Amino acid sequence: MTGTGTFNQYTQPELMQHYDHRPLDKQVALVTGANSGIGEGVARHMAAAGAMTLINCVTHPEAADAIVADIRQAGGQAMSIMADVSKEDQVQAMFAQIVKEHGTVDILVNNAGWQKDAAFPEMTLQQWQAVIDVNLTGQFLCAREAVREFLRRGPRPEVSVALGKIICMSSVHQVIPWGGHVNYASSKGGIKLMMESIAQEMAPQKIRCNAIAPGAIKTPINHAAWATPDAEKDLLTLIPYGRVGVAQDIARAAIWLASDESDYLTGTTMFVDGGMTLYPGFSQGG
Ligand code: BGC
């Protein structure tokens, strides 16, 4: 495998080569919020790993279509699909369309999320609600529809040991409190126990539910935090491993969580954060 840079995104043909054993062959994967950032990275890897990949978005369908075209050109399978994950009717219509067109869904990556930051005294109910609706309720709605479909469809031992796999995109802020982002941190804390409770309830049915908690990853959501050398220097004081992450760091973990390689893993959060949750402020003091 030749990378385009040590930790930069690989091109789609390079990714196809990297996953030439196609661990997700014949599986259908839905990645929400996949037209940019971490979602895009995860979707590209899923497709390279052999999955028919549904690239969900709610705005900028042209960005989703460009990713689809790139994946297809490299020999992968992908389609874009529009839905606002915070709206029950749209989520149900999206799953119905996927089942109609692709037979079923095997993997859900609950990724769609956003920030609406404000100092706490100024935070409006609208800012609170907008973040909870997409980041938390959106994950609930998609997970519920995915579980319903896994149960309806029954096992497919020829493609995976599990009945289905759900990966919830959380954040280091499911454990690190985050002033100025009370709505966002609350949504991520909620994802933690939602994910664990789904995992506990659905394990007997062989449905696995895990989460990834990314640290600072270079994407549009946190552009201001790494866009200038000064900002990046500040950010690096929080990251013992000494570099800001890229979407690919998260995507590689997602492929493993979606594959049978992680079959005994459920209810776990993987912190993919360069050590951000290791209290780096204590490395010299305390
Ligand atoms: C947030 C980013 C932030 C990172 C680390 C993520 O969940 O979306 O804005 O840079 O956590 O603080």
Side-chain angles (χ1 to χ4, degrees), residues 115 170-173 178 184 188 214-217 221-222 225 235 276:
Q115 292 180 211
S170 183
S171 164
V172 290
H173 298 296
W178 205 18
Y184 183 85
K188 297 301 182 177
I217 307 297
I221 208 174
N222 59 356
L235 186 57
M276 198 174 230

